[in-house]
Amino acid sequence: MDALRILLETQPLLTLFVTVALGYAVGEIGIKGVALGSGAVLFVGLAIGGWAPRSAPPPLLGTLGLLLFLYGIGIQYGEQFFKGLTSAEGLKANAAAALGVIVSGFVAVALVPLFGVGLDQALGMFAGSGTSTASLQAAMSSMKGDGATVGYSVSYPFGVAGPILFLYALGTLLKPKIERPPPRMIEAAEIALTNPALVGLTLAELAARLPPGVVIAAVRRAHHNQQARTNLVLQSDDVLLATATSPALLVETTALCGELQPGRMTNHREDLDYMRVFASSRLVVGRALRDLRFPEGVVCSIAHVRRGDIDMMPGQELILEFGDRVGLLVNHAHLKTMRAFFGDSIKGTAELRFISIGVGAALGLIAGVIPVPIPGVGRLTLGLAALLLVALCLGRARRFGPFVWTMPLTANLVLRNFGLTIFLAQVGLASGPKFFATVGVTGASFLLYGVVIVLALLCVTAACCLWVFRLPYDMAVGVISGATGNPAILAFANRVAPTDAPDVGYAMIFPSMTIVKILFVQVAAVLIGS
């Protein structure tokens, strides 16, 4: 065993990846649906670090991992975050979560005078209860000690398991009726125009009479399919290719326009053919559909866009992202040209633009060292919180000139999860000795403190969401997940409320609550620590 300990202490990179592998193996162990996930890496790191005290890699490696995690979060959720700051529902969600976070922070700080807990340990428990690694980094930087990591590691399990058990109990108590929505897919119908009241209208005039969400993608006239031009004057027996995300809308459209005649258009592709391409070219990614300029001589229309598992109607404001699958109606002779225009490379959808990442991260780090005056507190540097803010702005902008800030979703997930894993492993290894020395004396009381902090966060957030702001239940569980932060909690919320609302609620408030937690830690360290 001594030989193994010496090996781990002389090979820190080997120790780091052993910690990652063992941590994920432990994290996959679930007890009644509750698992620690990537958080188990921290506990394995603490165990190895306590046994082999000199095995930790340099702290800069952990900071780099956290940078990658925060940058990926900001890039992915930038648009949803700013929508949350402007919509009435988003403002309510942010207010409810912020109140819960601040109350739990005051509960943590109150432990200092009431029970003699160190401020660094109390702030660490606050960070662990909210499963916020960024807050842990802020506490470590502000307090210059290992106490924050000890508090974090003790309260972290309750930060993961507590909200899951809370949501289970809340659903059992309230018994909300939530129906799983059908898969959102584009449906199409070929409708012969037999309603004389519509003959002579232009397509633009017809569109104003159709149910919202229905689009005429193409028209067949005189045995030829053609693009749906807004100024096209409709004639009797024209065949309309109508698309919508709901079959009920197509039934309503058919009743308005005429009768179904399937096969009239799709069996004849001499003039217009259908193709699906991947959006992977920088000519199209990050641009709204209204800004796309097709190659000269090519007449093409976009029938739909599929992102992930969701079909979206091709509105003019829709901005393409890496990996979007775009359905096109175009002449067969131009298929190759349009493939080249969109890129159509599945490999390209997984590639990262490292120039954009380098520039974006550098801008965030520069912003993080600029002192910001806060009344009554003094001048603070935001550190990695500023990087998150910059990444959110870049994620909303999507692109600027040659810089495409967005990343393919798969690449984003890999980048930020890898960064989070490296951070947790490095912090665990570095803090192992101090953790076991402290928990051996105060472990039982620290566990109880962690439970109280988590309950304060959950109860206040849930009460504000459900009874003060009266948000829908499925939105409320997403907000609770975002306030606590861990993706495992969101995954459970999606099981108890199988709609899109939990994801929307989580995305609207998770970045802002990360910033609130970081700022609370920094302000508390200045006001109380001094």
Side-chain angles (χ1 to χ4, degrees):
M1 296 297 288
D2 287 340
L4 179 58
R5 181 166 53 245
I6 293 172
L7 174 64
L8 294 178
E9 291 183 336
T10 55
Q11 299 293 330
L13 281 181
L14 169 64
T15 308
L16 180 78
F17 283 100
V18 168
T19 302
V20 170
L22 291 177
Y24 268 94
V26 173
E28 291 179 356
I29 300 174
I31 301 176
K32 293 186 177 181
V34 178
L36 290 175
S38 60
V41 174
L42 174 65
F43 299 105
V44 172
L46 289 169
I48 295 177
W51 182 63
R54 293 186 293 274
S55 61
L60 181 63
L61 189 61
T63 303
L64 173 62
L66 185 58
L67 181 151
L68 295 176
F69 172 73
L70 292 176
Y71 187 80
I73 287 289
I75 291 299
Q76 179 177 348
Y77 291 125
E79 183 177 4
Q80 294 94 325
F81 170 70
F82 284 102
K83 282 183 179 178
L85 294 180
T86 55
S87 67
E89 196 169 56
L91 290 174
K92 292 177 181 178
N94 274 279
L99 189 58
V101 168
I102 293 171
V103 169
S104 68
F106 280 125
V107 170
V109 170
L111 299 173
V112 177
L114 292 177
F115 300 103
V117 176
L119 179 61
D120 55 349
Q121 296 169 335
L123 294 177
M125 283 189 282
F126 167 70
S129 299
T131 64
S132 174
T133 51
S135 303
L136 171 60
Q137 174 67 26
M140 292 166 57
S141 300
S142 302
M143 304 305 297
K144 308 296 183 184
D146 296 327
T149 304
V150 174
Y152 181 91
S153 57
V154 171
S155 61
Y156 184 92
F158 296 103
V160 177
I164 292 175
L165 296 174
F166 181 85
L167 291 177
Y168 177 81
L170 191 66
T172 302
L173 178 65
L174 300 180
K175 295 182 173 59
K177 295 182 179 179
I178 300 175
E179 296 183 2
R180 182 185 297 272
R184 189 176 175 185
M185 301 179 65
I186 294 289
E187 304 282 348
E190 298 170 62
I191 306 171
L193 185 65
T194 58
N195 183 353
L198 302 179
V199 174
L201 297 180
T202 65
L203 269 180
E205 293 169 332
L206 173 65
R209 300 190 182 190
L210 295 177
V214 176
V215 173
I216 303 301
V219 177
R220 182 171 181 81
R221 175 180 296 171
H223 307 296
H224 291 282
N225 297 336
Q226 56 183 287
Q227 300 286 349
R229 303 186 310 275
T230 57
N231 61 351
L232 180 68
V233 177
L234 295 171
Q235 298 179 5
S236 180
D237 205 36
D238 282 349
V239 180
L240 310 176
L241 180 62
T243 60
T245 55
S246 168
L249 292 177
L250 294 179
V251 172
E252 188 177 346
T253 302
T254 303
L256 172 67
C257 296
E259 60 183 25
L260 288 176
Q261 292 192 357
R264 285 277 302 273
M265 298 186 71
T266 53
N267 290 339
H268 302 278
R269 301 194 175 190
E270 307 84 21
D271 304 294
L272 278 183
D273 205 348
Y274 172 83
M275 66 181 300
R276 180 180 284 185
V277 294
F278 281 101
S280 61
S281 168
R282 279 183 286 181
L283 292 174
V284 300
V285 171
R287 297 191 185 278
L289 296 187
R290 68 172 183 275
D291 297 327
L292 296 184
R293 298 293 180 265
F294 296 137
E296 178 137 5
V298 175
V299 178
C300 175
S301 64
I302 296 177
H304 70 97
V305 175
R306 186 167 179 82
R307 181 171 298 164
D309 297 328
I310 297 175
D311 279 335
M312 297 182 292
M313 299 301 290
Q316 292 297 300
E317 304 299 320
L318 179 64
I319 297 176
L320 291 178
E321 296 183 0
F322 282 109
D324 284 350
R325 287 161 288 176
V326 185
L328 304 176
L329 294 173
V330 63
N331 188 280
H332 188 80
H334 298 141
L335 296 183
K336 185 178 293 185
T337 302
M338 295 309 296
R339 288 190 191 279
F341 177 74
F342 279 92
D344 197 29
S345 170
I346 192 170
K347 179 182 177 181
T349 65
E351 291 181 351
L352 293 171
R353 300 294 188 262
F354 286 101
I355 295 178
S356 298
I357 294 175
V359 172
L363 291 174
L365 292 172
I366 291 172
V369 299
I370 299 175
V372 178
I374 299 179
V377 177
R379 298 169 69 84
L380 292 179
T381 56
L382 297 181
L384 292 181
L387 178 130
L388 176 58
L389 282 171
V390 170
L392 289 167
C393 294
L394 298 180
R396 185 191 187 192
R398 311 259 181 147
R399 70 179 298 156
F400 179 77
F403 296 104
V404 178
W405 306 115
T406 58
M407 291 184 273
L409 178 59
T410 52
N412 187 313
L413 289 171
V414 170
L415 185 71
R416 73 174 195 245
N417 288 336
F418 178 72
L420 177 61
T421 300
I422 294 300
F423 172 75
L424 292 174
Q426 193 279 326
V427 168
L429 290 168
S431 306
K434 178 70 173 178
F435 171 79
F436 286 103
T438 304
V439 173
V441 179
T442 63
S445 58
F446 272 32
L447 293 176
L448 179 60
Y449 300 153
V451 171
V452 173
I453 296 170
V454 171
L455 284 177
L457 172 60
L458 293 171
C459 292
V460 172
T461 304
C464 289
C465 285
L466 295 172
W467 293 290
V468 177
F469 297 120
R470 299 188 179 278
L471 295 176
Y473 181 82
D474 51 353
M475 174 68 72
V477 297
V479 174
I480 294 171
S481 302
T484 51
N486 195 284
I489 303 167
L490 177 63
F492 184 81
N494 280 320
R495 290 201 293 271
V496 300
T499 69
D500 293 335
D503 290 327
V504 173
Y506 183 92
M508 284 195 304
I509 65 104
F510 175 74
S512 54
M513 290 309 103
T514 300
I515 295 169
V516 169
K517 292 172 186 177
I518 293 172
L519 291 177
F520 184 91
V521 166
Q522 291 181 321
V523 171
V526 171
L527 293 180
I528 303 174
S530 58

